[in-house]
Amino acid sequence: MNIKTKAIVISSLKYQEKSLIVKCFTETDGLKSYFVHNAFSGKNNKQKVAYFQPLNILEIEAVHKNKGTLENFKEVKLSTAYQTINTDIFKSTIIIFLSEVLHHSIHEEEKNEDLFHFLETALLWLDHHSEISNFHLILLIETTKFLGFYPDSSDNDLKFFEMTEGIFTPFQSLSCLSEHETHLFKKLLGLKFDSDQKIFAGIERSILLKIILDYYAFHLDGFRRPKSLEVLKEVFS
């Protein structure tokens, strides 16, 4: 079946010397993996390796056999050429980190247009703004809406957040955040990308990032902590 769709690059893995295996989150078909033959060779090769950088937004034409095997591109081009993401060390580090988290979080081999449009809009926002200190925190907590485990904030006047059920509670248990952590978490839940980026100190962002990754680990089977986490901490320290 021939498909034309937008796609966000989640990961790419070099195969042997010349080829790539590229995982994309597509607008029409959810998660798909593609084999790119001779990605590193050929002057006229339209499937340039530069297209497949983490979280690039592509427009693709592809053949989808839907047999659980690797699919093939027919045509690939950038949907949007980022203006700042690839040259700004803070933004590029965020992108690498987020792509790794999404790699271990998105497993749907069916379309989720709402998640696709959210990620596309968020990435374009990142490319066009300079105050981005909380971007990764907001994106990760907002993504849980589309993955099915966004915190229930109906009782957010209560003192503690319980991680396994995703609810606020008056009593602290082993799976609850502390009162201070809960306070920070409540503030995060109220933020949008355009909110004041100075609302958190650096140490508070580190606390929140640990909370979010723990929360993902509670709710996603096989979730792995990203290897790029230490790089992210170093850049934002």
Side-chain angles (χ1 to χ4, degrees), residues 53-56 82 85 90-100 123 126 135:
Q53 298 303 305
L55 301 190
N56 269 357
Y82 292 137
I85 282 176
F90 296 100
K91 292 182 180 183
S92 58
T93 303
I94 286 174
I95 286 291
I96 292 169
F97 171 76
L98 289 176
S99 67
E100 197 176 350
L123 292 168
L126 176 66
F135 175 83

Side-chain angles (χ1 to χ4, degrees), residues 103-148:
H103 176 74
H104 295 301
S105 304
I106 300 175
H107 306 296
E108 301 175 17
E109 294 188 11
E110 57 187 42
K111 72 176 179 180
N112 186 337
E113 289 186 65
D114 290 341
L115 175 55
F116 182 91
H117 294 152
F118 166 72
L119 292 174
E120 180 184 32
T121 301
L123 292 168
L124 295 177
W125 186 94
L126 176 66
D127 192 42
H128 289 95
H129 290 79
S130 56
E131 296 296 322
I132 57 162
S133 301
N134 302 321
F135 175 83
H136 54 303
L137 302 176
I138 298 169
L139 183 139
L140 288 179
I141 202 64
E142 288 292 310
T143 296
T144 66
K145 290 180 178 177
F146 308 98
L147 298 179

Side-chain angles (χ1 to χ4, degrees), residues 25 39 66 104 106 121 126 149 152 185 207:
F25 185 58
N66 297 317
H104 295 301
I106 300 175
T121 301
L126 176 66
F149 56 98
D152 180 353
F185 195 59
I207 292 169

Side-chain angles (χ1 to χ4, degrees), residues 38-125:
N38 287 336
F40 296 91
S41 61
K43 291 182 179 179
N44 298 320
N45 191 349
K46 294 180 181 179
Q47 298 171 349
K48 295 178 180 178
V49 66
Y51 289 161
F52 305 115
Q53 298 303 305
L55 301 190
N56 269 357
I57 305 170
L58 308 176
E59 290 184 12
I60 66 170
E61 184 176 350
V63 177
H64 286 180
K65 296 181 179 178
N66 297 317
K67 294 182 178 179
T69 55
L70 295 174
E71 313 289 15
N72 291 284
F73 294 117
K74 292 181 69 176
E75 191 75 37
V76 177
K77 64 180 180 180
L78 288 175
S79 174
T80 301
Y82 292 137
Q83 302 300 306
T84 64
I85 282 176
N86 298 322
T87 55
D88 184 305
I89 183 64
F90 296 100
K91 292 182 180 183
S92 58
T93 303
I94 286 174
I95 286 291
I96 292 169
F97 171 76
L98 289 176
S99 67
E100 197 176 350
V101 175
L102 293 172
H103 176 74
H104 295 301
S105 304
I106 300 175
H107 306 296
E108 301 175 17
E109 294 188 11
E110 57 187 42
K111 72 176 179 180
N112 186 337
E113 289 186 65
D114 290 341
L115 175 55
F116 182 91
H117 294 152
F118 166 72
L119 292 174
E120 180 184 32
T121 301
L123 292 168
L124 295 177
W125 186 94

Side-chain angles (χ1 to χ4, degrees), residues 145-212:
K145 290 180 178 177
F146 308 98
L147 298 179
F149 56 98
Y150 186 75
D152 180 353
S153 58
S154 56
D155 292 317
N156 68 355
D157 56 327
L158 300 177
K159 284 187 176 183
F160 304 103
F161 181 71
E162 203 282 320
M163 296 279 274
T164 58
E165 296 297 326
I167 60 173
F168 291 92
T169 174
F171 308 108
Q172 188 170 23
S173 65
L174 289 175
S175 55
C176 282
L177 301 180
S178 70
E179 191 170 349
H180 175 61
E181 290 169 336
T182 300
H183 173 69
L184 292 177
F185 195 59
K186 288 177 183 178
K187 287 171 70 174
L188 174 61
L189 292 179
L191 295 187
K192 302 298 181 187
F193 290 127
D194 285 321
S195 299
D196 180 11
Q197 298 293 311
K198 296 181 175 65
I199 192 170
F200 298 122
I203 186 63
E204 292 175 327
R205 288 192 193 94
S206 296
I207 292 169
L208 282 166
L209 186 55
K210 180 182 184 305
I211 289 169
I212 293 171

